Amino acid sequence: MNIDHLFTLSRSILQRQKEKYRRFLHTQLNPKGRLVGIKGPRGAGKTTLVRQLLQESGLAAEEALYVTADHPRVNAMRLYDIAEAFEKLGGQLLVIDEIHKQSGFAADLKAVYDTLSLRVIFTGSSALHLDHAKVDLSRRAVIHSLPCLSLREFVELETGLEFAALDLATLVQDHAVLTGEIVARLADRRILPLYRNYLAYGAYPFYREGVVDYPMKLIEVVRQMIDSDLAVIYNIDKDHLNKLNRILGLICRAPPLELKVTKLAGAAGINIRTLYAYLGYLEKGSLVRTVTAHKSLAKADKLYFDNPNLFSILCDYPQQGAIRETFAATMLGNAGHRLHYPARGDFLVDERYLFEVGGKSKDFNQISGIKDSFVLRDNEEYGIGNKIPLWLLGFLY
């Protein structure tokens, strides 16, 4: 098989202007891994990340190959055939972008791993389900997730400064000192304007291509995730895709939406079983986030958008309280913490920390007397006592 045209395409793409900023996942990947996957929402920076890895690999041009599975020339070929031909030419590292666009990709990846000596890095939609094709890759592939930007990463992009990610235990214990240090380093840039900008347009790296065009690009991200990724991966009939959009619209009506399944299913025009399936699809597609009620409660779960930027394009009148809670859930969830909806307060984190989210004047009335309880206050620069500025959660990853 002749793959000269793929080398030409690969070189033309890799010669484009290099992105200097490296997302947090960059240093966590094993450069020697045989089969490495990167999942994440559209626009999160997966393509930029794998191109950086290729550009920094130190390999000769003929030893590294980048292909994107949604390109017509690639989509018309089997991935295994490409990999086999590439290895025969001395190839060592194959990067496959948007792999979910290729039918039969799971079987091809298994065959490449089992019969060839190539190293393979692939990216796919956050909705990518590697067992969907009934091929077990769990023992072969190491899968990483790349979520939307954190506030910390947004601040680094905006200022050129570097800040270490915080662990939650250190954050709650030393927040007064930490907030003072971060505010001092930012000097005249000020953290609160940066935080407010993040809420509006800072969750996806493509904001740097122009803030004015950001809403339209984000609308396209949502449309492509539903109409292309979810529809293909989960074989959803096109006539039913409007139901997914309707569910997203319902989240705008409550601050946040309690997941009362009978009422929600009726409003979306679907049965309860289909509702649960569609919510799962939307969550895998990084469009919504479910916070389950604590096991001690007979309460409904809560449903949030995946990140606060989605309010600006999906809701006519976004509610500030819902945006605040969504920011907290996004930062905590993407940092790997387990969230539950508690009897008192807004979030029980890792079965230990209780957080109540509110504005600058928020008090302790709802969570008084509970160990390890904290108020996360919006529009507050500094921490004091058990009152933590909400923005500081954005430095967890």
Side-chain angles (χ1 to χ4, degrees):
M1 173 184 288
N2 189 322
I3 59 170
D4 289 349
H5 62 289
L6 297 184
F7 278 104
T8 301
L9 182 62
S10 176
R11 288 163 186 160
S12 67
I13 292 173
L14 296 178
Q15 285 171 356
R16 295 174 185 173
Q17 185 176 0
K18 297 180 181 180
E19 170 60 57
K20 294 181 180 179
Y21 185 76
R22 279 142 182 75
R23 293 215 52 200
F24 74 93
L25 187 59
H26 194 280
T27 58
Q28 298 178 13
L29 297 173
N30 177 9
K32 302 298 183 182
R34 286 273 324 277
L35 186 58
V36 176
I38 302 171
K39 292 172 39 173
R42 283 178 173 267
K46 303 184 299 297
T47 296
T48 297
L49 175 57
V50 294
R51 289 177 184 175
Q52 288 172 331
L53 293 173
L54 269 177
Q55 290 160 347
E56 299 164 7
S57 67
L59 296 172
E62 66 276 7
E63 295 175 329
L65 179 65
Y66 168 90
V67 298
T68 179
D70 61 355
H71 191 283
R73 288 190 169 184
V74 177
N75 200 261
M77 307 167 70
R78 277 193 61 195
L79 290 179
Y80 181 82
D81 293 338
I82 293 172
E84 184 180 45
F86 175 50
E87 185 176 68
K88 287 179 179 178
L89 295 173
Q92 296 186 31
L93 175 61
L94 174 63
V95 171
I96 308 165
D97 209 359
E98 300 288 324
I99 198 168
H100 57 282
K101 294 292 185 179
Q102 182 84 347
S103 61
F105 72 86
D108 280 357
L109 285 179
K110 178 180 180 296
V112 169
Y113 184 92
D114 291 344
T115 64
L116 304 179
S117 59
L118 286 175
R119 288 188 290 129
V120 177
I121 300 174
F122 63 91
T123 76
S125 165
S126 52
L128 183 68
H129 185 20
L130 289 179
D131 293 328
H132 200 65
K134 299 181 180 179
V135 175
D136 181 19
L137 289 173
S138 61
R139 292 179 292 104
R140 298 170 174 86
V142 177
I143 310 296
H144 300 268
S145 293
L146 186 68
C148 66
L149 289 172
S150 67
L151 174 63
R152 179 188 70 85
E153 292 175 301
F154 176 75
V155 169
E156 289 186 334
L157 283 167
E158 288 293 281
T159 65
L161 300 171
E162 293 185 7
F163 295 89
L166 305 172
D167 66 83
L168 186 58
T170 300
L171 185 151
V172 298
Q173 179 177 325
D174 300 329
H175 64 89
V177 174
L178 293 169
T179 53
E181 292 175 347
I182 293 171
V183 169
R185 284 195 65 199
L186 289 171
D188 60 342
R189 288 304 305 267
R190 313 300 297 179
I191 187 60
L192 290 182
L194 288 166
Y195 162 67
R196 286 190 286 270
N197 288 343
Y198 174 84
L199 294 179
Y201 60 77
Y204 301 87
F206 58 81
Y207 84 87
R208 301 171 75 193
E209 298 169 8
V211 173
V212 173
D213 296 329
Y214 184 78
M216 291 303 298
K217 290 180 178 179
L218 185 52
I219 289 172
E220 183 63 14
V221 164
V222 174
R223 188 188 72 79
Q224 286 288 331
M225 175 56 73
I226 292 175
D227 295 350
S228 179
D229 296 357
L230 294 181
V232 171
I233 294 171
Y234 295 104
N235 196 28
I236 303 173
D237 190 293
K238 289 186 177 181
D239 294 337
H240 293 171
L241 293 178
N242 67 315
K243 308 293 186 182
L244 298 178
N245 288 297
R246 190 176 296 178
I247 292 171
L248 293 177
L250 291 172
I251 299 177
C252 299
R253 299 183 185 178
L257 178 67
E258 287 195 355
L259 186 51
K260 296 179 179 179
V261 291
T262 302
K263 184 177 180 180
L264 187 56
I270 53 180
N271 60 48
I272 292 175
R273 181 177 179 180
T274 302
L275 172 68
Y276 277 120
Y278 283 6
L279 288 175
Y281 300 159
L282 289 170
E283 187 151 20
K284 290 179 185 300
S286 299
L287 292 174
V288 304
R289 183 185 306 270
T290 302
V291 176
T292 58
H294 192 263
K295 58 187 178 182
S296 63
L297 299 179
K299 282 190 174 184
D301 300 338
K302 285 192 175 183
L303 193 62
Y304 296 86
F305 285 132
D306 180 75
N307 67 76
N309 286 187
L310 295 173
F311 282 94
S312 64
I313 63 164
L314 297 175
C315 303
D316 292 331
Y317 303 101
Q319 300 192 30
Q320 194 59 43
I323 294 174
R324 290 171 185 149
E325 288 189 37
T326 299
F327 173 79
T330 300
M331 298 299 106
L332 288 161
N334 288 349
H337 295 285
R338 292 176 290 108
L339 307 183
H340 288 99
Y341 174 34
R344 295 164 64 184
D346 291 312
F347 299 109
L348 178 63
V349 183
D350 298 337
E351 297 285 348
R352 176 177 178 182
Y353 300 108
L354 182 66
F355 292 125
E356 172 75 12
V357 182
K360 190 172 183 178
S361 59
K362 188 70 177 181
D363 57 33
F364 272 92
N365 290 342
Q366 289 183 269
I367 55 174
S368 60
I370 301 176
K371 182 182 178 182
D372 289 327
S373 62
F374 303 86
V375 170
L376 300 173
R377 300 176 75 175
D378 200 11
N379 293 318
E380 188 77 77
E381 273 192 318
Y382 298 98
I384 182 171
N386 281 29
K387 300 172 184 177
I388 302 174
L390 179 57
W391 63 261
L392 191 60
L393 291 189
F395 282 67
L396 285 172
Y397 73 93

